[in-house]
Amino acid sequence: MNRKIALITGATAGIGHETAILLAQNNYNLILTGRRKERLDSLKTKLELDFGCQTLLLNFDIRIRKSTENALNSVPDEWKAIDVLINNAGLAAGLGPVNSADVDDWDTMIDTNVKGLLYVTRIVSPWMVERQSGHIINLSSIAGKEAYPNGSVYCGTKHAVAAITKAMRIELMPQGIKVSSIAPGAVDTEFSLVRFRGDREKADQVYKGFSPLVAKDIAETILFVITRPAHVNIDDLLIMPTNQASARDFNRK
Ligand code: 8X3
C-alpha cells in the first residue's frame, strides 16, 4: 500500500466520521471501527467511490474487551503497519450530581472513554513499536482540563485520558512514536443528544446563542497535527469555540 494507514475508533459519527472523510481525501487508507454496522458500510462505500480509499471495517463495541481484542487481532498483516491511531471513540452519558447520577452511565463512560481507549492502544502500540514509527492521537476534552458540576465522571474519564496521554508520550518517545492530545470544547455533534438520551430540546440548548465548533474543525486539527515534520510533536492542543472561554463561560447572544 502506498497510502498511509490510519485507524479511527468511533468512525460512525461526529469527529470520527469527519476525520475519516478528510483523511481519505488526503491519501490515507483507513481502518474504521464502530458499533453501527450500516453506518460503517455506507461510509466505506463513500470513501472508496469518492476518494479511492481502501477501507477495512471492524464492527465491535469498544467497551467489551474480548470483542475489541478479537476484532483487532483479525487485522491482516498488511494492515498492521498503522501510521496513525486516532482514539476518538468516547461519549458522555447523563449529567447529574454524584449523589443521584445513574451508575450504569458511569460504567458506560469509564468503559468507553478510558478502558476502550486502553484496550485498543494495548494492541496497536506494539505494532508501532515493532516498526519504531507511528502517531497516536487521543481525543480528550476541555473536561480533561477542568471539572464542572454534574460531570464528575465524564470529567474524570477525560482527566484520565490526559494523564494516560502524558505517560504514553514519555513511554513511547524512545520508540519513535509520537503521542498527541486534542482537547475540544463544545462541538456540535451527536455528543449532547447522546448525553441527554435523545432529548433534542436539551441538546440544542447546549449550543444555543453562539457558534460551537463543528466536527470538521477538529478533523482539520487532527490532519494538521499528523502532518507536522518528523521532528515536531504537538503534545497537547486545546481548541475552543471563540465564544466559549472555559467549560462554563459562554458568550451567548
Ligand atoms: C465535550 C465538552 O464541555 O461538554 O467534551 O464536556 S463538554
Side-chain angles (χ1 to χ4, degrees):
M1 293 185 202
N2 52 10
R3 294 163 71 117
K4 288 190 168 186
I5 300 175
L7 187 159
I8 305 172
T9 66
T12 52
I15 293 169
H17 186 271
E18 282 304 313
T19 304
I21 292 171
L22 193 61
L23 265 52
Q25 279 171 337
N26 282 273
N27 283 324
Y28 280 80
N29 286 331
L30 298 171
I31 304 174
L32 303 175
T33 87
R35 276 177 304 168
R36 292 171 284 192
K37 186 168 182 314
E38 315 73 56
R39 288 201 187 188
L40 284 177
D41 288 338
S42 70
L43 183 57
K44 178 184 171 78
T45 305
K46 176 183 171 58
L47 299 181
E48 289 181 351
L49 283 177
D50 292 358
F51 311 117
C53 168
Q54 288 182 47
T55 311
L56 179 71
L57 301 182
L58 300 176
N59 180 212
F60 63 93
D61 185 342
I62 204 170
R63 291 176 297 177
I64 301 167
R65 180 173 159 189
K66 259 278 148 268
S67 309
T68 305
E69 289 173 349
N70 288 342
L72 289 170
N73 286 327
S74 77
V75 168
D77 281 345
E78 66 271 24
W79 281 95
K80 285 185 179 162
I82 293 170
D83 297 287
V84 183
L85 165 62
I86 302 172
N87 279 317
N88 163 72
L91 81 174
L95 192 67
V98 74
N99 54 294
S100 63
D102 185 330
V103 176
D104 286 339
D105 284 345
W106 291 351
D107 283 340
T108 301
M109 290 187 277
I110 293 167
D111 290 351
T112 308
N113 301 359
V114 182
K115 292 169 74 179
L117 178 148
L118 288 169
Y119 297 155
V120 172
T121 305
R122 180 63 185 82
I123 293 180
V124 173
S125 59
W127 301 340
M128 292 181 167
V129 168
E130 205 176 306
R131 298 168 58 235
Q132 295 283 289
S133 169
H135 195 163
I136 300 174
I137 309 284
N138 290 338
L139 262 294
S140 178
S141 166
I142 180 68
K145 299 185 181 292
E146 297 174 30
Y148 52 80
N150 301 322
S152 56
V153 172
Y154 180 69
C155 295
T157 64
K158 289 300 182 176
H159 275 68
V161 170
I164 289 164
T165 307
K166 279 184 194 151
M168 280 169 58
R169 166 89 175 104
I170 300 164
E171 291 163 3
L172 296 174
M173 177 178 62
Q175 309 289 348
I177 297 167
K178 296 186 183 188
V179 178
S180 305
S181 159
I182 296 178
V187 189
D188 189 2
T189 58
E190 289 178 359
F191 177 85
S192 290
L193 204 57
V194 171
R195 171 172 258 176
F196 297 117
R197 302 182 212 292
D199 185 330
R200 169 58 65 191
E201 211 172 305
K202 267 192 184 170
D204 288 347
Q205 287 301 319
V206 175
Y207 310 112
K208 205 165 175 193
F210 75 108
S211 294
L213 300 170
V214 294
K216 192 160 181 239
D217 296 320
I218 307 304
E220 286 171 347
T221 306
I222 291 171
L223 181 64
F224 175 79
V225 168
I226 65 176
T227 51
R228 292 312 84 212
H231 69 286
V232 178
N233 187 82
I234 299 194
D235 281 36
D236 187 18
L237 250 183
L238 175 63
I239 169 165
M240 303 287 276
T242 304
N243 279 313
Q244 180 187 7
S246 80
R248 297 212 262 165
D249 288 288
F250 295 85
N251 179 34
R252 297 182 198 266
K253 298 278 186 315

